[in-house]
């Protein structure tokens, strides 16, 4: 397990710029900047790697289908930063406790990646942590439909990622996907994971040049 810890620390320490939903969609960024409408709100998410069993697994959630924003999507535990949160790490730990029942003192926080800018005007800091002990999952019924785990090796393999597209607000939008079984992991969640996968592989950041 020390090898994984060392690899994650090295990945976190690699230099690089913040990622963005606009990496594959520069025309969206230009439109938003020209209109002067982008006011980013800080958020933190917990990239929690469960190492309590033989195989490291990433903890993810499926958002409730009743939510007004991003219903049914796959996400990290996390959310917007509250005024009482000291920083993005405090936000991620608080939200993980509220959403999935993860005790705040259980994760071993290793650090964080540069923030990720979303098309929904959030600046999201991915907080990387290891979970060494089992805990009882308690999905928050108003927000979380399901909590599940994905083999960490699956999402750390850059060749498992694909770029797909759909119409969004009348514009053709491109995004990363990394499906696993019945779970369609895409959008900002997949983009942040792709950033970590690239760093774990020794790259500074994903290469988007063939897709723009």
């Amino acid at each position: 397990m020390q090898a994984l810890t060392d690899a994650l620390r090295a990945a976190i320490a690699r230099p690089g710029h913040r990622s963005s939903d606009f990496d594959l969609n520069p025309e969206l960024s230009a439109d938003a900047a020209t209109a002067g409408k982008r006011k980013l709100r800080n958020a933190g998410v917990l990239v929690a790697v469960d190492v309590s069993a033989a195989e490291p697994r990433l903890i993810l959630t499926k958002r409730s289908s009743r939510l007004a924003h991003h219903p049914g999507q796959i996400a990290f535990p996390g959310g917007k930063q509250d005024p009482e949160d000291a920083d993005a790490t405090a936000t991620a730990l608080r939200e993980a406790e509220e959403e999935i029942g993860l005790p705040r003192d259980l994760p071993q926080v290793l650090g964080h990646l540069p923030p990720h800018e979303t098309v929904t005007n959030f600046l999201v800091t991915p907080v990387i942590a290891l979970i060494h002990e089992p805990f009882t999952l308690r999905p928050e019924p108003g927000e979380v439909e399901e909590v599940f785990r994905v083999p960490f090796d699956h999402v750390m393999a850059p060749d498992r990622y694909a770029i797909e597209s759909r119409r969004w607000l009348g514009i053709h939008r491109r995004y990363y996907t990394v499906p696993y079984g019945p779970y369609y992991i895409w959008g900002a969640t997949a983009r942040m994971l792709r950033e970590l996968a690239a760093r774990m592989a020794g790259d500074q950041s994903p290469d988007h040049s063939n897709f723009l």
Side-chain angles (χ1 to χ4, degrees):
M1 205 52 62
Q2 188 59 46
L4 175 60
T5 303
D6 292 344
L8 283 167
R9 290 190 187 278
I12 292 166
R14 291 185 185 279
H17 303 290
R18 75 189 195 193
S19 60
S20 171
D21 285 351
F22 302 113
D23 289 340
L24 300 175
N25 305 277
E27 68 280 5
L28 294 181
S29 181
D31 289 345
T34 301
K37 296 180 179 179
R38 294 199 54 76
K39 183 177 180 180
L40 298 177
R41 294 166 288 175
N42 290 325
V45 296
L46 193 66
V47 184
V49 184
D50 184 349
V51 295
S52 64
E55 179 186 40
R57 297 171 296 170
L58 177 71
I59 300 174
L60 292 171
T61 71
K62 183 177 181 181
R63 290 169 58 84
S64 170
S65 58
R66 298 188 297 272
L67 291 173
H69 301 290
H70 311 294
Q73 290 188 11
I74 305 303
F76 299 111
K80 67 180 179 180
Q81 187 168 328
D82 286 349
E84 61 269 23
D85 294 334
D87 51 26
T89 297
T91 298
L93 293 175
R94 173 182 57 77
E95 288 279 349
E97 184 175 56
E98 294 173 1
E99 290 184 2
I100 68 172
L102 175 63
R104 298 188 201 192
D105 60 350
L106 196 60
Q108 178 193 3
V109 175
L110 301 181
H112 56 79
L113 299 184
H116 175 84
E117 181 182 354
T118 74
V119 294
T120 51
N121 301 330
F122 280 98
L123 193 61
V124 183
T125 297
V127 178
I128 313 299
L130 296 177
I131 311 298
H132 294 277
E133 301 175 24
F135 68 99
T136 301
L137 292 172
R138 295 194 307 273
E140 202 290 312
E143 296 185 36
V144 178
E145 182 174 308
E146 182 184 357
V147 183
F148 64 97
R149 293 173 172 88
V150 174
F152 192 56
D153 286 349
H154 178 84
V155 293
M156 288 300 101
D159 60 357
R160 293 188 185 276
Y161 288 77
I163 293 177
E164 298 182 12
S165 64
R166 65 174 62 176
R167 300 291 293 181
W168 183 77
L169 296 180
I171 299 174
H172 197 65
R173 178 188 167 193
R174 295 169 291 275
Y175 52 87
Y176 280 107
T177 68
V178 58
Y180 176 75
Y183 303 107
Y184 185 68
I185 307 168
W186 71 288
T189 301
R191 176 63 184 89
M192 286 183 271
L193 284 173
R194 180 63 177 84
E195 178 70 22
L196 180 58
R199 287 166 173 263
M200 289 284 281
D203 299 329
Q204 181 171 321
S205 62
D207 179 11
H208 319 286
S209 59
N210 294 329
F211 305 100
L212 302 182

